[in-house]
């Protein structure tokens, strides 16, 4: 294995650890949502936004390392095959774990979204219905009627 391939594989292992960290954050977000802990939800969402920026940087480094190692345009499975040997096998295991973690992130995120939507819908139906504001079409008509009748009474 070349030095460039070694740098690429080490970066993929860092990528795997980072994806694992993202899965943990997603689970924390879901637990915060179901416990109705708004402060914790805000904190986790802020952390996730920062993590997405880190993910973008890692992805750029991965692409650069792949290009340097002559692996551009290959999937991770194809890169593992080309590298071969023990490191290729480790890359295959890493790929499998990354895929599993991404599936878990998607699943947990879908649960979070469903929970949030259901609670927002319940909250929306529980809120009292207010009269339309004066700047909406129905509100404008109501305000118009009120002022015209007041005007008519004064005349």
């Amino acid at each position: 294995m070349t030095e460039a391939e070694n740098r690429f594989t080490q970066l993929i292992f860092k990528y795997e650890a980072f994806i694992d960290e993202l899965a943990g954050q997603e689970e924390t977000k879901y637990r915060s949502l179901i416990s109705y802990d708004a402060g914790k939800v805000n904190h986790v969402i802020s952390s996730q936004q920062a993590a997405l920026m880190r993910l973008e940087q890692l992805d750029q480094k991965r692409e650069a390392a792949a290009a340097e190692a002559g692996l551009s345009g290959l999937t991770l499975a194809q890169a593992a095959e080309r590298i071969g040997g023990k490191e290729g096998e480790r890359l295959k295991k890493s790929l499998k774990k990354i895929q599993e973690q991404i599936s878990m992130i998607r699943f947990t995120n879908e649960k979070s979204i469903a929970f949030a939507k259901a609670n927002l819908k319940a909250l929306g139906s529980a809120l009292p219905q207010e009269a339309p504001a004066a700047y909406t079409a129905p509100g404008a008509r109501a305000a118009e009627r009120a002022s015209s009748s007041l005007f008519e009474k004064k005349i």
Side-chain angles (χ1 to χ4, degrees):
M1 176 166 46
T2 68
E3 185 61 35
E5 289 174 337
N6 186 45
R7 279 193 297 275
F8 174 78
T9 57
Q10 294 309 309
L11 187 64
I12 295 301
F13 299 141
K14 286 181 185 177
Y15 200 85
E16 175 191 342
F18 183 71
I19 296 295
D20 196 43
E21 181 183 323
L22 288 178
Q25 284 182 348
E26 193 64 39
E27 185 62 35
T28 301
K29 180 177 76 176
Y30 178 69
R31 285 194 313 268
S32 299
L33 275 169
I34 63 174
S35 70
Y36 297 98
D37 188 343
K40 201 172 200 178
V41 171
N42 283 334
H43 176 72
V44 172
I45 289 173
S46 294
S47 296
Q48 282 185 322
Q49 289 171 343
L52 289 176
M53 291 179 3
R54 281 181 46 210
L55 179 62
E56 191 174 306
Q57 292 170 347
L58 255 177
D59 220 25
Q60 290 171 354
K61 288 179 182 179
R62 180 193 53 78
E63 288 175 4
E68 185 182 336
L71 304 170
S72 290
L74 298 179
T75 66
L76 188 52
Q78 291 168 332
E81 283 295 321
R82 182 163 304 163
I83 290 171
K86 289 181 182 179
E87 287 303 303
E89 289 303 313
R90 285 184 63 204
L91 276 175
K92 288 178 187 177
K93 288 178 184 176
S94 184
L95 171 62
K96 184 177 179 188
K97 186 169 181 188
I98 289 170
Q99 290 171 331
E100 290 169 355
Q101 291 297 66
I102 289 173
S103 293
M104 185 56 76
I105 290 169
R106 285 183 179 140
F107 175 73
T108 308
N109 189 44
E110 288 170 7
K111 287 191 320 184
S112 295
I113 290 170
F115 182 82
K117 282 183 179 179
N119 281 288
L120 286 172
K121 188 174 183 178
L123 180 63
S125 64
L127 291 176
Q129 298 299 319
E130 296 179 21
Y135 55 84
T136 63
R141 281 188 232 112
E144 194 176 275
R145 275 186 247 115
S147 41
S148 64
S149 64
L150 179 63
F151 178 72
E152 289 171 5
K153 286 178 185 176
K154 285 188 176 184
I155 292 181

